[in-house]
């Protein structure tokens, strides 16, 4: 089974990115490009067919393709991102997805960022945030119900997206920052809490039997390894300053062409 990863080059304008919880700091563009190249190499090594889209100076956050779509086996939903500055990122992602999936889209007044959507089998946990509203959630639910998906709202705080606080790291296992999101919402899963000294360690990208994870969260990494998980780390020092993490920089899905 082929796995496709859509990625997008870092924008030369990345220093003008949206910021919600962080103060603006200097982002080394050249270093960000190099780190992103290594991230893409990691996806290739793990067996992905990477479709890399061109960056755009006018789209400072375009590297964070995760927010622009939710891709499921049967359909992909273009999200209408919550930050108006990011809506022009959609056409390139739409064109990249078209060969693979029939497309639906979230419409005004709905907004959704893909970073708020945690998909676990037929369930979508959707964070209500500054980027994802009730209308977006209801539209997601309406679009996906015919395919048998259940959309569940989740409240959280202290971070930009739900997946900054909780991500799936194995079939039945979630990595979670319990101070930001109520673990009770995820009954039935095995939970690995981030180490209390690493509050930003909740974002991990599961790819086949490996977890891609950012450098700098050694204790939480140890917790995952103690659960028998294989963890591969990447340096994201620069995109971290843009409030990005490992899941944000790709859209990963089974590479079936649409009928
Ligand atoms: C933004 O605020 O939209 C970007 N600077 C960061 C987006 C990160 N995306 C994600 O966590 N899915």
């Amino acid at each position: 089974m082929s796995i496709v990863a859509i990625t997008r080059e870092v924008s030369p304008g990345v220093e003008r990115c949206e910021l919600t919880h962080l103060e603006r700091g200097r982002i080394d563009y050249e270093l960000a490009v190099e780190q992103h190249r290594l991230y893409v190499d990691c996806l290739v090594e793990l067996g992905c067919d990477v479709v890399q889209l061109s960056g755009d100076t006018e789209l400072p956050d375009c590297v964070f393709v995760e927010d622009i779509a939710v891709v499921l086996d049967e359909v992909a939903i273009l999200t209408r991102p919550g930050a108006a500055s990011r809506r022009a990122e959609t056409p390139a992602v739409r064109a990249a997805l078209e060969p693979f999936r029939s497309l639906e889209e979230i419409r005004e007044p709905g907004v959704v960022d893909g970073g708020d959507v945690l998909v676990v089998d037929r369930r979508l946990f959707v964070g209500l945030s500054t980027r994802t509203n009730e209308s977006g959630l209801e539209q997601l639910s309406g679009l996906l119900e015919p395919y048998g998906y259940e959309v569940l709202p989740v409240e959280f705080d202290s971070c930009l997206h739900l997946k900054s606080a909780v991500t799936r790291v194995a079939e039945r296992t979630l990595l979670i920052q319990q101070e930001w999101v109520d673990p009770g919402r995820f009954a039935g899963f095995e939970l690995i809490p981030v180490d209390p000294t690493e509050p930003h360690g909740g974002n991990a990208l599961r790819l086949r039997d490996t977890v891609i994870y950012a450098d700098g969260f050694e204790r939480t990494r140890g917790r995952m390894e103690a659960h028998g998980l294989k963890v591969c780390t990447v340096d994201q020092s620069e995109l971290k300053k843009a409030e990005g993490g490992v899941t944000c920089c790709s859209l990963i899905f089974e590479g079936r062409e649409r009928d």
Side-chain angles (χ1 to χ4, degrees):
M1 183 229 301
S2 84
I3 303 277
V4 174
I6 294 178
T7 60
R8 191 162 187 179
E9 292 168 352
V10 180
S11 167
V14 66
E15 279 208 307
R16 288 179 279 111
C17 65
E18 294 284 337
L19 286 176
T20 307
H21 293 274
L22 291 183
E23 295 292 315
R24 201 164 292 279
R26 189 180 164 271
I27 297 176
D28 181 334
Y29 168 68
E30 305 295 335
L31 183 54
V33 168
E34 176 59 10
Q35 291 176 347
H36 189 252
R37 189 183 66 72
L38 295 172
Y39 170 87
V40 170
D41 283 354
C42 182
L43 297 180
V44 171
E45 270 164 39
L46 292 172
C48 291
D49 296 332
V50 173
V51 178
Q52 168 104 297
L53 309 179
S54 304
D56 185 328
T57 310
E58 299 309 314
L59 300 174
D61 283 304
C62 67
V63 65
F64 302 121
V65 285
E66 166 179 63
D67 295 318
I68 310 304
V70 176
V71 187
L72 302 168
D73 286 347
E74 303 83 353
V75 64
I77 315 279
L78 295 163
T79 56
R80 193 163 187 271
S85 70
R86 300 201 54 192
R87 296 198 186 129
E89 295 174 33
T90 300
V93 173
R94 177 196 293 273
L97 285 171
E98 239 152 21
F100 298 104
R101 295 290 187 275
S102 58
L103 300 177
E104 299 283 358
E105 58 192 291
I106 302 297
R107 295 175 196 277
E108 202 176 349
V111 286
V112 173
D113 269 12
D116 281 322
V117 182
L118 173 65
V119 181
V120 185
D121 304 328
R122 311 306 285 184
R123 271 187 286 177
L124 278 72
F125 295 95
V126 178
L128 290 166
S129 71
T130 54
R131 301 291 179 84
T132 299
N133 63 12
E134 292 278 0
S135 167
L137 186 129
E138 278 163 24
Q139 291 182 48
L140 266 183
S141 183
L143 290 167
L144 294 176
E145 202 233 33
Y147 299 101
Y149 288 94
E150 189 185 5
V151 172
L152 302 160
V154 183
E155 303 207 338
F156 68 97
D157 56 41
S158 306
C159 56
L160 180 60
H161 288 125
L162 178 66
K163 278 190 278 186
S164 321
V166 56
T167 43
R168 186 187 198 181
V169 290
E171 195 54 30
R172 304 300 312 160
T173 310
L174 305 177
L175 178 66
I176 186 166
Q177 163 46 297
Q178 305 188 104
E179 287 170 23
W180 297 350
V181 63
D182 176 7
R185 210 70 192 90
F186 305 100
F189 291 96
E190 182 176 11
L191 301 179
I192 304 178
V194 299
D195 188 275
T197 62
E198 297 171 347
H200 296 275
N203 186 258
L205 174 62
R206 175 186 184 228
L207 185 47
R208 295 202 161 115
D209 64 346
T210 302
V211 176
I212 302 177
Y213 194 51
D215 273 349
F217 304 113
E218 303 313 323
R219 293 179 182 201
T220 306
R221 176 191 173 155
R223 288 184 179 206
M224 287 193 276
E225 287 172 341
H227 273 73
L229 299 173
K230 190 163 88 190
V231 183
C232 151
T233 58
V234 290
D235 189 350
Q236 283 203 316
S237 67
E238 299 314 295
L239 292 182
K240 229 183 245 179
K241 297 177 206 162
E243 292 187 30
V246 285
T247 62
C248 319
C249 297
S250 52
L251 282 166
I252 296 181
F253 53 90
E254 206 181 300
R256 280 176 304 95
E257 301 220 343
R258 60 192 282 190
D259 305 326

